[in-house]
Amino acid sequence: MIHVDLHLHTKFSGDAQLTPKQIVNELHAHPLIKGVAITDHNTLQGYFQVQKLADPYEDLIVIPGIEVATPDGEIILLGVKEMPSYPLTIDGVVDFAKEKAALIVLPHPYREMGGLGDLAEKIQAHAIEVINPSSTPEENKMAEELAERRNLPGVAGSDAHVLSQMWAAYTEVEAESSVDRILKAIESGRVKPVASTKI
């Protein structure tokens, strides 16, 4: 079992303040959470820096990811180390994910800003983010119901942009500490989303 924050931003997102060094220090110091997906907006720069700083720590897992902004809402891709080509349309992002064998996670699907809304019913996805601390309880409940309707795993991430938001939500994953095994476990539904009050 590994505990992973599947949605976190660095300063390279443009709207976040977290530095790669802060993230690695906090991850190393945390008693439970030892994995993180770096999901910056339309860039992988933060991931590469966090991964480099985390390399000396054998117990830390850094999952490459992107939160891709399309005109219709945001989509998280996990397990990719390059950006899809522009223009960033939903169909284009889904095709890119298939080509790269990436996992598609639909984050905060019913949030007014960045959510996919009703489009989330149709997009080919591997998981739904059902706990996002920046979403309202109603929005998270709707996301949970969406995951149940679509028979997709529900996951959680802090969506942290500043230090005080880190680890507010995370996902328990029944897997050993490797990126590939974690992604496979998410895809097969061996996950449990968790809302946390600072552990």
Side-chain angles (χ1 to χ4, degrees):
M1 176 81 72
I2 186 165
H3 302 79
V4 188
D5 185 338
L6 288 175
H7 187 172
L8 192 140
H9 296 271
T10 76
K11 65 179 184 175
F12 295 102
S13 275
D15 60 351
Q17 299 173 14
L18 289 166
T19 67
K21 186 171 177 54
Q22 282 178 312
I23 291 168
V24 172
N25 287 346
E26 291 292 319
L27 194 61
H28 176 60
H30 201 282
L32 185 66
I33 299 169
K34 293 299 174 185
V36 65
I38 302 299
T39 53
D40 281 324
H41 298 295
N42 297 336
T43 179
L44 283 143
Q45 196 171 353
Y47 159 73
F48 287 116
Q49 292 204 16
V50 172
Q51 179 61 70
K52 185 177 180 182
L53 291 169
D55 272 344
Y57 303 101
E58 291 184 7
D59 62 332
L60 303 187
I61 295 291
V62 183
I63 299 171
I66 330 164
E67 187 167 22
V68 183
T70 78
D72 298 304
E74 295 170 336
I75 298 173
I76 285 178
L77 301 182
L78 297 179
V80 290
K81 295 183 181 179
E82 60 185 285
M83 274 290 295
S85 57
Y86 289 85
L88 298 170
T89 63
I90 288 176
D91 287 344
V93 173
V94 170
D95 288 345
F96 173 82
K98 286 180 183 173
E99 180 187 328
K100 301 297 179 184
L103 289 196
I104 297 174
V105 179
L106 305 185
H108 46 70
Y110 294 106
R111 191 193 295 167
E112 189 172 338
M113 183 69 71
L116 291 156
D118 291 340
L119 291 173
E121 297 276 1
K122 302 172 185 175
I123 296 169
Q124 292 180 3
H126 299 94
I128 309 288
E129 184 181 72
V130 299
I131 300 176
N132 181 300
S134 298
S135 296
T136 66
E138 292 78 15
E139 288 165 345
N140 282 331
K141 179 66 175 168
M142 290 171 69
E144 189 178 339
E145 290 168 352
L146 172 69
E148 288 173 4
R149 268 196 315 277
R150 297 200 54 191
N151 196 29
L152 289 172
V155 297
S158 67
D159 197 0
H161 287 64
V162 297
L163 195 61
S164 62
Q165 297 171 336
M166 291 179 75
W167 322 136
Y170 62 91
T171 304
E172 292 180 1
V173 185
E174 290 182 31
E176 294 177 33
S177 296
S178 86
V179 171
D180 286 345
R181 288 178 180 177
I182 289 169
L183 294 179
K184 284 174 184 169
I186 294 169
E187 188 173 7
S188 64
R190 290 180 283 126
V191 292
K192 178 184 174 184
V194 180
S196 165
T197 55
K198 295 290 180 184
I199 303 168

